[in-house]
Structures are given as structure tokens and as C-alpha cells.
Amino acid sequence: MGRPTRVTNAIRQLRFAAGEMTQADLADRVGVTRQTIIAIEHGRYSPTLEMAFQIARVFEVPLDDAFQYPTTEEL
Amino acid sequence: MSFTERITWTSLVVLPVVALTYFTVVLTRLADAPVDEVSWIVPMIWAIGTVIVGMIAGAIAQAIAATIASGGEEPDTEGDVRDKEIDRIGEYAARHVTSLGCMAVIVLAMLRADHFWIANGVFLAGLVGGVVSGIVKIRAYRRGF
Amino acid sequence: MGKKKTPNCDEEWASMSRDEVYNWIFALVSLVSTITYLAILVPRKIGAPASEVSYVAPLLWVFGCGMVVGFGTALAVRLAAPKDSKVRDERDKEIELIGQYVGSGFVTIGAMAALVLSILEVDHFWVSNSLFVGFLFAAVLSSFAKAAAYRGEYPEI
């Protein structure tokens, strides 16, 4: 089947912008394993809606700033 | 109700009814006769046949009901993302029942137990597993997951 | 402050959660078990009637060794692994669900075969082995599906 999702994210950039937050640190704040954050950043895992909101809240940005979905033209 | 949920409800009717009938018949026979003289094969075939026929008939009836309820739209028999997720949850919940039952059956077969115990062991494990997964699925449908 | 930060290089791509490591162990053990068991069983069966094949000892040995090696390695991994704050999250549970679902097909086939065969009262050899081989195949299939899912390739279901 391949990639599970068309959702992309800007988490790595957001981490660097937030004082070079480590993946482990972000994982602790969201309540997941470090490997799950890695998988999300590498596009290997699509987080649940709740997790996506929690990640966006950590960086205090709207959901759309953390996660992107192609427009209907791009789909 | 999604079509898959309707099918789950159907199985929760068919499986317990067949299980209760079949085991009542066979256990009363077992009370009167030693294991190797109990005639269980004919009831077993009836039971399996009833499950198959019951599920098919139920599925057809549900498809008709669903078409009427949605005003002429054909029901989605495959199930969407949520239906498939719930199916996985149901299977997962029943995993202990089915695998323990099957392991017990392997042991019985290795010990060369009478086929009566083996066949009924598998059958019981399958029925109980089916009912457990059905209940878990309905709860997921009705209460969320 | 002042903590040494892990460099974000491509090494991290291979970083595995504890459950993923356990899954690799399980995948290896089940694959080796399946191959070993079939390699012992099939030659013994060829040319011999089912009632005379001695399969119980190989079955128990394969099962026993698999359990010991599997759990032993998992324990060693657990003791040697660095302490992470969270070891098992919803992603691990989700992937376990997928693995179990993928494997359940083979278990169902094995169980149905066993039921039909015991109704027909064929030799116990066939009943035991349809279930055991069904379990072995299910173990291999589910662990491989999980390994792929951890890397981002999810099965079509």
C-alpha cells in the first residue's frame, strides 16, 4: 500500500525554532515514544487527530501551521 | 447503522442461538453415552450449516433493510475506514479466546483424544471468539473507541 | 541546560522503539521455526502414512526453543536498552492491532481445516498440523506486516 498518508508536517522546523527542542523532549510533552515523533517527521506515521492537536499546542501554533494537507487541486 | 454493524448484530443473534441449541443437544447425548458412541457429527453439520445459511440470509435481509432505510441507496458492503478499524478491534479482543482454544485443541490432537473433543473444542472456541468480538465491536460502534 | 543533544542525522531513521525490536526478534524466531519445522516434517511424511509420522517431538522442540530464544533475547534487549521515558504508545498499539489482524486469517484457515478434518475423523496428524502450521504462518505474516508498518508501509486492508 505504501505511505499511509498525504499529510505532511513542519515539526522539525518548529522544533528548531523553539530553541532546538529535541525529539525526546517533544515526545515527552505529547506522551509518545521518541520513535513515534521520528516516524511522524519522516512521514512514516500519521498521528491521530488528538496527537496532532497536542503537537500543535506544544508549539502554540494553529493546526495548519504544524500539519499540511494538499489542496483539492493538488490531490 | 453502517452495513458492517448490521452484520455484526446478525452474528450476535445467529451464533448464540446455534451454540445454545447445538451444545444442549450434544451435551444431553453425552450424559447418556460414552464419548465414542455419541452421535455428534450430524448435529455439528447442522450447526455449521445453520450458521452459514443464517448469516447469508441475515446479510440479505440487512441489505434490503439498509436500502430501504437510506431511500434506495445501495449499502456499502465493504465498510469504510471506521468499519475496518472496528473490525480490527473486534478481532484483537477475541485473540486470547481463539488462540487459547486452538492451542488446547493442538494438545488434544497430539494426545490423540477422541475427535469429538477436538471438533467441539474448535467449534466452541470459534463461537465464543465470534461472540466476544461481536460484543466488542458493537460497543465500539455505539460508544466510540 | 548543557545536555548533549543527539544529532539529527539519518541514523535516527533506524531508531526503533522497544516494541519494534521485540517484533524483529519475533519475526526472526517465527521464520526460523517455520522453516525448521517444515524441513523436519515434510521429509518424515513423504512415503509414510500419517498415523506413523512422529511429529509431536519436533513440534514441541520447535515451540519450546522458539519460546526460550524469543523470550531470552527480548529479556536481554530489555536489560541492555537505554532508559526511555515512554516505551509503548498508541502507535505501537495500533501496529499491534494491524499485525494481529493480518495473522488472524491464517489462524482462521487452520482452525476451519482442523474442524472439517476432525469431523471427517482423519488421522490426528492432519488436525494438529493444520492448526500448528496455521499458527506458524500467522506468526510470520503478522510480524512481517508489523515490521513493514513500523517503517511506514502499511498493508492494504
Side-chain angles (χ1 to χ4, degrees):
Chain A
M1 183 193 174
R3 293 275 164 269
T5 178
R6 279 183 283 254
V7 175
T8 52
N9 65 75
I11 295 177
R12 174 166 289 203
Q13 294 89 305
L14 287 166
R15 277 197 299 113
F16 284 166
E20 292 193 43
M21 185 191 295
T22 61
Q23 291 157 333
D25 200 10
L26 177 58
D28 280 341
R29 293 193 198 202
V30 176
V32 297
T33 62
R34 187 170 61 90
Q35 289 78 16
T36 296
I37 297 295
I38 294 173
I40 294 174
E41 288 186 12
H42 284 265
R44 282 191 276 118
Y45 177 65
S46 178
T48 60
L49 191 59
E50 280 198 46
M51 204 196 294
F53 269 108
Q54 283 168 339
I55 293 174
R57 291 287 179 270
V58 165
F59 299 115
E60 293 171 347
V61 298
L63 193 64
D64 273 322
D65 281 8
F67 295 91
Q68 293 79 44
Y69 197 73
T71 62
T72 27
E73 291 96 43
E74 294 163 4
L75 269 173
Chain B
M1 248 194 246
S2 72
F3 186 70
T4 332
E5 188 183 352
R6 293 174 177 275
I7 297 298
T8 311
W9 278 112
T10 310
S11 73
L12 280 179
V13 169
V14 172
L15 293 180
V17 166
V18 170
L20 280 166
T21 318
Y22 170 77
F23 282 108
T24 311
V25 167
V26 167
L27 289 174
T28 37
R29 289 189 186 185
L30 187 62
D32 295 328
V35 166
D36 49 355
E37 285 173 34
V38 174
S39 90
W40 56 274
I41 296 184
V42 169
M44 168 76 81
I45 294 178
W46 271 106
I48 296 176
T50 312
V51 169
I52 295 175
V53 169
M55 287 306 297
I56 293 177
I60 294 175
Q62 294 284 21
I64 295 174
T67 314
I68 295 174
S70 63
E73 249 179 66
E74 255 187 58
D76 170 26
T77 45
E78 218 188 86
D80 63 6
V81 179
R82 174 175 168 247
D83 295 311
K84 289 179 186 164
E85 180 77 40
I86 291 182
D87 199 19
R88 263 178 273 161
I89 291 173
E91 288 286 328
Y92 190 72
R95 71 197 186 285
H96 289 309
V97 170
T98 23
S99 50
L100 275 169
C102 290
M103 283 200 267
V105 168
I106 294 182
V107 169
L108 287 171
M110 287 199 290
L111 295 172
R112 300 195 164 271
D114 192 282
H115 290 279
F116 170 87
W117 296 114
I118 297 173
N120 282 291
V122 176
F123 196 52
L124 185 65
L127 287 171
V128 175
V131 170
V132 168
S133 97
I135 292 175
V136 169
K137 285 195 211 178
I138 295 297
R139 289 189 78 205
Y141 272 115
R142 297 286 111 200
R143 291 195 208 174
F145 57 96
Chain C
M1 268 311 293
K3 248 186 359 186
K4 190 152 184 249
K5 298 199 186 90
T6 325
N8 286 332
C9 55
D10 275 307
E11 266 179 24
E12 72 180 21
W13 185 90
S15 172
M16 294 194 202
S17 64
R18 199 177 75 185
D19 273 31
E20 189 178 357
V21 176
Y22 286 171
N23 185 56
W24 274 110
I25 296 171
F26 186 66
L28 206 61
V29 168
S30 42
L31 188 64
V32 170
S33 299
T34 308
I35 295 174
T36 312
Y37 185 67
L38 291 175
I40 298 177
L41 190 78
V42 171
R44 286 193 186 190
K45 176 68 187 72
I46 293 178
S51 52
E52 286 171 32
V53 179
S54 105
Y55 69 93
V56 174
L59 194 157
L60 292 173
W61 270 106
V62 165
F63 183 72
C65 290
M67 290 272 122
V68 168
V69 170
F71 276 108
T73 322
L75 188 66
V77 162
R78 171 128 184 208
L79 294 173
K83 291 277 167 274
D84 267 324
S85 34
K86 180 118 186 176
V87 278
R88 187 176 152 86
D89 62 8
E90 52 194 272
R91 173 173 170 248
D92 296 305
K93 290 178 194 165
E94 212 179 287
I95 291 182
E96 191 180 331
L97 234 71
I98 290 173
Q100 205 278 325
Y101 191 72
V102 166
S104 67
F106 268 106
V107 173
T108 309
I109 292 174
M112 289 205 272
L115 182 61
V116 170
L117 292 171
S118 55
I119 289 177
L120 297 173
E121 301 200 327
V122 304
D123 190 274
H124 292 90
F125 168 88
W126 295 110
V127 175
S128 313
N129 282 296
S130 59
L131 267 170
F132 188 61
V133 172
F135 267 111
L136 287 174
F137 280 17
V140 172
L141 205 67
S142 73
S143 56
F144 276 47
K146 283 171 74 173
Y150 271 113
R151 297 290 105 195
E153 303 288 327
Y154 283 75
E156 183 79 59
I157 21 174

